[in-house]
Amino acid sequence: MCGIVAAAAGSNIVSVLIEGLKKLEYRGYDSAGLALLAAGGIERVRAVGRVAELQTAASGCSAHTGIAHTRWATHGAPAEHNAHPHVSGSIAVVHNGIIENYESLRTELSAQGYVFTSETDTESIAHLIDATLKGEPDLFAAVRSVCRRLVGAYAIAVIDHQQPGRIVVAREGSPLLLGLGEDGNYAASDASALLQVTRNMVYLENGDIAELTASQVRIERLDGTPVERPVHVSELSAAAVELGEFRHYMQKEIFEQPEALANTLEIIGGAHSIQAGIFGAQAAQLLADVDHILILACGTSSHSGMTARYWIERIAGVACTVEIASEYRYRVSVPNPRQLVVAISQSGETADTLAALRHAKALGQNKTLAICNVPESAIVRESMLRFITRAGPEIGVASTKAFTTQLAALFLLALVVAKQRGQLSPVDEAAYLDQLRHLPVAVHKVLTLEPEIAIWARRFADKKHALFLGRGRHYPIALEGALKLKEISYIHAEAYPAGELKHGPLALVDTDMPVISVAPNDELLEKLKSNLQEVRARGGELYVFADADSELTASDGVHVLRLPEHYGLLSPILHVIPLQLLSYHAALVKGTDVDKPRNLAKSVTVE
Ligand code: AGP
């Protein structure tokens, strides 16, 4: 959500800003802008719509220092006058996050004669910096004193045409990192924006403020204490964030799943036994007396948590609860210091999940584990234990490879907890590990079903609604399929545990309602078959994903696709793949913006 790029260099930085913004497009945005330190003052260009339009509007611009931004509208509509950067006097600012006390700041600054030209919370920051500079002319000191007055979440970058060559950045709550290059220094919301100029990244902490020039970087805490932050050499390759032969990032990421799973599972190597240490050095000690597991997450990550609940309770015999993070953080709950709190997040910056984790800790629940795809993210840094999924950068807004790698990590968690409690026999342990190791091959085989799934997608892409059914550990997979479909094709989709049909949703079923069913060959298949009969009897057209060895057969109004292998407890990881492909192909038929669906952002860093 919102993206920042800033650059101070020895040569023209306009193309660095534009290319950086393009790499941040996946975060979600509806307008873009940049501000440059030009000879005559600040040159600002803003455009509603895509970065490509900003690029056209900024062609011919040149500068050595500048800041740029993609805006995802929160306060005020997506319109040019609300787009960042916001300018006041000699300064320009870009901002990611939400300033909660902006209304009182706005009243105060209006009383001082400032005229607001946007509805944004950010404009108050711009005027406040300008007002502060009147008493404290040093930009670094002025921004520091403004940050002390801001309530809420922010990452900001500020330039001042009276102080050429300098950029001041600060963060509290929203992500921001520095890139140290040979020809200059840079800042951005994530590393992918800066790989074009450097691999040397410095992750700022909350409460850090930094100054960048083309040749120097200094970081302080808001109280004025100088700090050194380690330089990380990014392992991301530029190719990892390029589309390559694929039409969309979502398609690329679906097809990267065998490799993403293999990388994530590399940690178990060829071993026949699993060690708690894969979750962190303190894991064995911390998990020893865990009596309950509480999973906190949002969206797709919550679906991986819901699937894991079936594994954790069945394999480890430990009770597990999954809560939507945005609900948990505001609910009065009964704390349990012995429970393990697991925060699951692809980005590690999701505001609700981070706040829920902090809330859980504030209640004295300090056994925390992050399952996350971004090692330097806030959720990882604030958790005691960690498991980093190695899915690689996920650019498409619709989460795919992050989900399956989360599932792999959560299955490992179930095994580790089971082993600690003496619930896992060495034979089962070795068998589960073998199944995990075979997963990349099994997923690869499922991906070969794409042509048939594309034909299915064409059949129901003109429908207004769809119903997804699953049972047991495949119910969360049905939920995930429905979320994928609505997210990128805008077809209204709902998911139900199939046994719930008669309790209400069956009323929706008619010839216009495609019903997609996840039907693996498990202990609930016979029950599910009866549920499918109920749908067919009401004229609903069934699209059934079955296993190779199940007895389901196609007939009039019943379409059946068989997955190549029957995968037992790990079957949810295979069964979600066709649902991802189905949504992708339905979206292609509908011509939607697959990687950047309307109204959505990749990383939801505000509440
Ligand atoms: C999934 O396709 C979504 N775009 C969304 O539900 C996402 O999973 C959710 O916002 C949580 O994100 P996180 O995993 O980065 O915390």
Side-chain angles (χ1 to χ4, degrees):
M1 252 172 182
C2 298
I4 290 176
V5 187
S11 48
N12 184 7
I13 46 76
V14 174
S15 65
V16 174
L17 296 180
I18 296 284
E19 286 311 310
L21 288 186
K22 285 185 179 170
K23 292 288 181 282
L24 298 182
E25 282 189 301
Y26 75 93
R27 297 172 69 88
Y29 72 106
D30 32 52
S31 58
L34 55 80
L36 307 170
L37 287 185
I42 283 181
E43 184 173 3
R44 175 172 63 170
V45 186
R46 298 184 289 181
V48 173
R50 293 299 173 209
V51 173
E53 284 152 54
L54 178 73
Q55 182 171 23
T56 308
S59 63
C61 292
S62 174
H64 289 199
T65 310
I67 55 178
H69 189 261
T70 46
R71 172 175 186 257
W72 191 85
T74 54
H75 298 69
E80 190 174 324
H81 69 280
N82 285 328
H84 299 206
H86 288 281
V87 171
S88 183
S90 62
I91 70 103
V93 60
V94 291
H95 163 225
N96 173 9
I98 287 185
I99 302 304
E100 288 167 14
N101 60 335
Y102 83 101
E103 279 173 329
S104 63
L105 292 173
R106 204 176 169 108
T107 310
E108 174 188 323
L109 290 157
S110 300
Q112 290 174 30
Y114 283 99
V115 177
F116 282 76
T117 57
S118 78
E119 291 90 55
T120 65
D121 50 343
T122 306
E123 195 179 355
S124 343
I125 307 178
H127 294 318
L128 195 56
I129 295 171
D130 182 63
T132 309
L133 278 169
K134 291 182 176 130
E136 172 49 81
D138 176 66
L139 183 65
F140 192 86
V143 172
R144 177 165 51 211
S145 91
V146 165
C147 287
R148 289 196 189 119
R149 294 203 54 203
L150 301 179
V151 177
Y154 59 80
I156 55 171
V158 191
I159 52 173
D160 181 351
H161 79 76
Q162 305 287 9
Q163 306 184 44
R166 302 176 79 189
I167 301 175
V168 177
V169 300
R171 84 160 276 194
E172 178 64 51
S174 301
L176 195 66
L177 54 86
L178 309 181
L180 313 181
E182 284 190 359
D183 183 44
N185 292 305
Y186 309 86
S189 303
D190 83 42
S192 60
L194 301 183
L195 285 175
Q196 51 168 331
V197 279
T198 183
R199 312 184 78 76
N200 298 328
M201 309 291 173
V202 174
Y203 291 86
L204 295 181
E205 300 277 346
N206 286 335
D208 281 354
I209 174 167
E211 176 177 339
L212 321 178
T213 65
S215 57
Q216 273 184 331
V217 166
R218 80 173 153 126
I219 308 171
E220 290 185 7
R221 302 292 296 156
L222 281 186
D223 66 6
T225 318
V227 276
E228 297 265 338
R229 299 277 175 228
V231 179
H232 295 260
V233 180
S234 174
E235 287 176 9
L236 272 183
S237 69
V241 288
E242 299 293 343
L243 255 183
E245 71 200 69
F246 293 96
R247 264 177 90 180
H248 296 98
Y249 281 104
M250 182 184 180
Q251 184 192 26
K252 175 176 186 244
E253 288 155 10
I254 290 172
F255 280 87
E256 280 173 349
Q257 288 177 109
E259 192 189 344
L261 282 162
N263 289 340
T264 300
L265 291 166
E266 199 179 287
I267 201 157
I268 57 170
H272 294 297
S273 74
I274 190 165
Q275 308 305 327
I278 61 173
F279 291 96
Q282 298 162 281
Q285 183 199 349
L286 200 131
L287 294 174
D289 72 335
V290 161
D291 67 348
H292 185 262
I293 294 180
L294 169 66
I295 295 180
L296 304 171
C298 301
T300 288
S301 296
S302 75
H303 297 154
S304 68
M306 288 172 74
T307 312
R309 183 174 150 239
Y310 289 85
W311 292 333
I312 289 167
E313 298 208 348
R314 176 159 170 171
I315 304 173
V318 178
C320 175
T321 312
V322 185
E323 292 225 29
I324 297 291
S326 54
E327 288 295 311
Y328 176 74
R329 62 185 288 195
Y330 292 116
R331 184 171 83 76
V332 177
S333 54
V334 182
N336 171 3
R338 281 183 62 193
Q339 80 182 340
L340 176 70
V341 178
V342 182
I344 308 174
S345 174
Q346 186 285 127
S347 62
E349 301 287 347
T350 299
D352 284 320
T353 310
L354 181 57
L357 173 67
R358 288 178 179 159
H359 177 67
K361 285 162 67 176
L363 293 174
Q365 305 168 122
N366 290 316
K367 294 171 186 282
T368 52
L369 163 66
I371 293 187
C372 189
N373 198 33
V374 182
E376 296 303 325
S377 61
I379 287 175
V380 172
R381 279 187 276 119
E382 296 190 23
S383 300
M384 228 171 219
L385 304 179
R386 63 193 56 189
F387 187 100
I388 306 300
T389 51
R390 290 176 55 204
E394 193 180 64
I395 309 289
V397 164
S399 189
T400 53
K401 60 178 180 171
F403 180 67
T404 43
T405 53
Q406 285 168 356
L407 288 175
L410 287 158
F411 194 82
L412 292 174
L413 179 66
L415 296 185
V416 163
V417 176
K419 191 169 176 180
Q420 288 240 320
R421 294 165 61 87
Q423 302 258 349
L424 190 64
S425 72
V427 174
D428 284 350
E429 184 177 5
Y432 284 136
L433 291 174
D434 277 345
Q435 276 185 27
L436 282 166
R437 274 188 285 267
H438 179 64
L439 259 180
V441 174
V443 168
H444 182 74
K445 287 189 203 161
V446 179
L447 289 167
T448 61
L449 297 177
E450 189 189 27
E452 287 141 289
I453 296 170
I455 295 169
W456 279 18
R458 283 200 285 279
R459 291 181 67 107
F460 70 79
D462 63 335
K463 301 286 189 222
K464 296 267 181 296
H465 309 275
L467 202 56
F468 285 71
L469 301 178
R471 291 198 75 141
R473 59 187 174 274
H474 295 90
Y475 164 53
I477 299 306
L479 282 169
E480 177 59 7
L483 176 63
K484 288 284 91 85
L485 188 69
K486 62 187 138 196
E487 196 176 16
I488 59 165
S489 74
Y490 314 148
I491 295 172
H492 172 229
E494 297 296 336
Y496 281 91
E500 269 293 288
L501 265 185
K502 310 195 233 339
H503 300 286
L506 201 54
L508 294 170
V509 172
D510 62 15
T511 50
D512 276 334
M513 173 71 87
V515 179
I516 297 103
S517 181
V518 187
N521 198 2
D522 64 11
E523 59 283 5
L524 289 166
L525 183 61
E526 289 309 313
K527 303 269 175 214
L528 181 67
K529 278 184 186 168
S530 313
N531 303 137
L532 300 186
Q533 296 290 345
E534 292 159 10
V535 171
R536 194 58 207 125
R538 272 96 192 155
E541 191 158 10
L542 282 161
Y543 296 85
V544 183
F545 291 100
D547 283 341
D549 54 356
S550 67
E551 284 168 15
L552 282 161
T553 43
S555 57
D556 184 34
V558 183
H559 314 279
V560 179
L561 252 182
R562 291 176 196 288
L563 268 62
E565 287 182 70
H566 171 203
Y567 225 75
L569 282 188
L570 282 160
S571 150
I573 300 184
L574 298 193
H575 268 274
V576 74
I577 312 274
L579 303 188
Q580 297 169 343
L581 286 167
L582 192 67
S583 315
Y584 174 68
H585 283 281
L588 280 190
V589 176
K590 295 200 72 180
T592 56
D593 192 347
V594 172
D595 286 330
K596 297 183 278 290
R598 68 186 182 202
N599 308 338
L600 297 181
K602 177 66 182 165
S603 168
V604 185
T605 51
V606 297
E607 199 177 344

